[in-house]
Amino acid sequence: MENILKLVQESYPKFFVQKQKSPSYVQMYTKNNNDIAIVYFKNKQTFTSIGNNPQKNSEVIDELDLTGSPLKLDLSLHTILDDTLLTDEPQLWAKEEALHYPLSIEKAREIANLYNSSLTQCTKEDSLPMWILTNPSEEGHPLLLTMQSDSHHFARGIVVYDGALPLEDVEFSSLIETYALQEKISADMIKISLDCKYLISGISYGSHNTDELLNAPHSGLTELRCEWSGKVLKTPFISCKVYFEQEVIIGHLASPCNAIWKSVCSLHSMNQLLVDMTAAGYSSVNLETATIRHMVPGSKRLDNTKRLNDLLNETEIYAYTAEFPPGGCICISEDTTSLKQCMAAMQARGSSNDFTYRLWDVLRDCETAEELITLLIQALKFISSGKIRPFIDANNKTYLSKLVLKLSRGHSQAAKVLKNLRTSPPQALSLVAQVGVEKTMWEYTRVMSLLEHSFFIAGIWTSESR
């Protein structure tokens, strides 16, 4: 199949010919997002020409740039979650699809014929349907040309633009009769399927890169997709099939779940480093450039050394406190009524008073492995001085928690322990990673199980099947 597409590409180098997932304007007809061969003219210009006067065009474009869109607001991160603010206007197509431009119907037919003749020896399984974007301003208003063939089959189709009408002005029976007359078939043989999308909130960012997604004006998309059959254009809400579609941007900077997501990302980076160190030896990994936390444009650069010092100074405040919140969880109180409220509190002040858990909240934000190991040893060195007795939750059985307790009580080999950690990066990373895994799992189960509506998660915690 790649050779066949290459033949078309070489024969028509001015056009974009590629195997890819169905774009939105094809998917609305195929009802799937499978691979197709797509053909269009890729326009790299941001604006199309307006008339024949270049100077006048420039003036019009400048005016548009200056006035902007009254529906858009320049939102900063602290106002993103304000429900009273307007969101960006929805788009009917992906960002990349705005650069797709049509071919003439004659060129489209030439390409389709070449593609068809090249598939004469192709099996049905290896054959790809081809969709060509055509110019609707030509006679007959062609919009899309499609064909698919193999050694034993041939199918073709055309989508034409029929104009835009208010819903109440569309005569459904007339459309069916016109199509039946055109195809010379009985109207009773025509099967009808209709669908409609209702945008509840948000915009789809399907074609944006990761950095754009994490800084998007909101954290996802919610829409309803309705399907029904019958000669009725208005949605029959009682009898139609309804699909609820929720698109969530994982790791969005304003998401209340970002605290847990940061832990997951750091654990992924640390696991990869440990795999590399095991395979090729830890000396093969440059700790100063080994990434723990990927910096996202728009995110705040944290002073982790100051955060660690603040944690060590605060430890005495809660270390000898007799009373702790229920379950050792500090992000849920009597006033907590929703998961969102709990997660926001977790993002602001953590989830537990356990020293190693709070230490993880600092270490997971380190940019490099060198910074992480340096801060870990700094914290353990301070503890070994005997100035503080950090609180460790009774259920915390990690090796780092045991080491913290021993060092705080005056371990005779403290200097040797710290030296071994400095000279063995895999051991230091493993100690921290184990705490990160335990804390993240604890937050997923124990913290959320304390909320009234989280019956399923509470059942998992109760049955100890974590």
Side-chain angles (χ1 to χ4, degrees):
M1 180 51 62
E2 284 72 17
N3 292 334
I4 297 175
L5 288 179
K6 187 176 181 180
L7 173 63
V8 178
Q9 291 168 349
E10 292 174 349
S11 301
Y12 297 91
K14 293 183 179 180
F15 303 127
F16 185 86
V17 182
Q18 182 174 304
K19 174 184 176 181
Q20 66 171 57
K21 298 295 182 182
S22 300
S24 62
Y25 55 84
V26 171
Q27 190 177 345
M28 64 188 298
Y29 298 109
T30 61
K31 306 298 182 186
N32 59 52
N33 194 29
N34 295 335
D35 286 334
I36 63 168
I38 186 72
V39 183
Y40 57 84
F41 176 70
K42 191 167 186 178
N43 193 330
K44 297 182 180 179
Q45 299 296 324
T46 306
F47 296 96
T48 55
S49 60
I50 309 173
N52 297 319
N53 189 336
Q55 184 176 358
K56 183 179 178 181
N57 294 347
S58 177
E59 292 173 358
V60 173
I61 292 172
D62 290 341
E63 182 182 352
L64 290 175
D65 282 343
L66 289 172
T67 57
S69 170
L71 297 179
K72 289 185 178 180
L73 290 175
D74 184 16
L75 304 180
S76 56
L77 279 178
H78 70 277
T79 60
I80 283 174
L81 299 181
D82 188 348
D83 294 333
T84 64
L85 295 173
L86 295 174
T87 60
D88 204 354
E89 64 263 32
Q91 299 292 331
L92 298 178
W93 51 83
K95 182 180 178 181
E96 173 65 22
E97 293 170 16
L99 301 178
H100 295 193
Y101 277 74
L103 285 62
S104 67
I105 191 65
E106 290 79 11
K107 284 293 181 184
R109 285 172 178 156
E110 288 179 15
I111 295 174
N113 287 333
L114 174 61
Y115 186 68
N116 176 57
S117 61
S118 303
L119 293 173
T120 53
Q121 303 299 321
C122 191
T123 64
K124 184 177 180 180
E125 291 74 19
D126 295 334
S127 174
L128 275 180
M130 173 175 279
W131 287 78
I132 308 174
L133 188 60
T134 53
N135 196 336
S137 63
E138 297 185 15
E139 184 179 355
H141 306 298
L143 195 61
L144 289 167
L145 189 70
T146 178
M147 58 82 54
Q148 182 175 11
S149 66
D150 54 58
S151 56
H152 294 88
H153 306 88
F154 171 75
R156 56 102 176 110
I158 188 169
V159 178
V160 298
Y161 176 69
D162 202 42
L165 290 172
L167 190 63
E168 57 272 12
D169 292 348
V170 177
E171 295 183 5
F172 208 103
S173 57
S174 176
L175 293 175
I176 296 174
E177 291 174 2
T178 302
Y179 180 75
L181 183 63
Q182 177 181 323
E183 298 296 322
K184 298 179 181 180
I185 59 176
S186 170
D188 297 333
M189 298 176 62
I190 300 174
K191 293 183 179 180
I192 302 167
S193 176
L194 299 97
D195 62 73
C196 178
K197 286 186 179 180
Y198 292 93
L199 181 65
I200 307 301
S201 66
I203 309 166
S204 178
Y205 287 90
S207 65
H208 288 57
N209 62 41
T210 302
D211 292 343
E212 291 173 326
L213 287 176
L214 301 185
N215 288 284
H218 54 81
S219 59
L221 168 76
T222 303
E223 69 179 15
L224 295 178
R225 181 163 55 88
C226 302
E227 292 183 1
W228 68 96
S229 59
K231 302 177 182 180
V232 181
L233 283 181
K234 291 187 177 180
T235 308
F237 295 105
I238 297 177
S239 58
C240 70
K241 295 180 180 179
V242 180
Y243 300 88
F244 176 79
E245 295 188 4
Q246 179 75 55
E247 179 182 301
V248 179
I249 300 175
I250 302 297
H252 192 275
L253 295 180
S255 170
C257 298
N258 210 31
I260 291 181
W261 178 246
K262 286 196 296 185
S263 292
V264 173
C265 291
S266 296
L267 285 171
H268 174 77
S269 299
M270 294 171 68
N271 178 69
Q272 188 58 52
L273 285 178
L274 288 170
V275 170
D276 294 342
M277 289 178 176
T278 302
Y282 66 83
S283 59
S284 64
V285 176
N286 187 346
L287 299 179
E288 295 182 355
T289 58
T291 302
I292 298 295
R293 178 198 180 200
H294 294 276
M295 292 302 300
V296 178
S299 62
K300 184 179 179 181
R301 188 176 294 273
L302 302 173
D303 187 344
N304 294 314
T305 301
K306 181 179 182 301
R307 292 174 66 207
L308 176 62
N309 290 331
D310 291 342
L311 171 61
L312 296 174
N313 292 333
E314 292 171 6
T315 302
E316 288 183 301
I317 298 175
Y318 65 78
Y320 299 101
T321 303
E323 296 182 2
F324 294 99
C329 177
I330 62 174
C331 61
I332 296 180
S333 66
E334 295 179 355
D335 300 326
T336 305
T337 58
S338 67
L339 180 60
K340 180 179 180 181
Q341 187 180 356
C342 164
M343 301 301 284
M346 185 187 300
Q347 174 82 351
R349 60 178 182 273
S351 61
S352 172
N353 275 336
D354 183 288
F355 177 79
T356 59
Y357 284 180
R358 297 194 67 183
L359 180 61
W360 165 254
D361 290 341
V362 175
L363 298 181
R364 73 182 178 193
D365 288 328
C366 292
E367 294 185 30
T368 65
E370 176 65 28
E371 181 186 6
L372 183 147
I373 295 173
T374 300
L375 293 184
L376 171 65
I377 294 176
Q378 178 183 333
L380 295 179
K381 185 177 181 180
F382 185 84
I383 293 169
S384 65
S385 66
K387 295 179 180 179
I388 59 174
R389 291 289 183 89
F391 166 72
I392 301 294
D393 190 275
N395 294 314
N396 187 345
K397 305 299 183 182
T398 62
Y399 289 113
L400 183 58
S401 68
K402 296 176 181 178
L403 179 59
V404 167
L405 288 175
K406 288 183 178 180
L407 291 176
S408 65
R409 294 166 184 167
H411 195 285
S412 59
Q413 301 291 324
K416 183 177 180 181
V417 170
L418 297 179
K419 182 180 179 181
N420 289 341
L421 286 178
R422 179 71 266 183
T423 57
S424 178
Q427 185 179 0
L429 288 175
S430 296
L431 283 175
V432 177
Q434 186 191 22
V435 172
V437 170
E438 288 293 322
K439 179 178 183 289
T440 306
M441 183 169 62
W442 182 79
E443 288 173 341
Y444 268 117
T445 54
R446 181 57 175 161
V447 172
M448 295 185 186
S449 70
L450 296 175
L451 300 176
E452 289 185 6
H453 65 276
S454 301
F455 299 112
F456 182 72
I457 297 178
I460 295 176
W461 180 265
T462 304
S463 63
E464 296 183 354
S465 58
R466 294 175 294 161

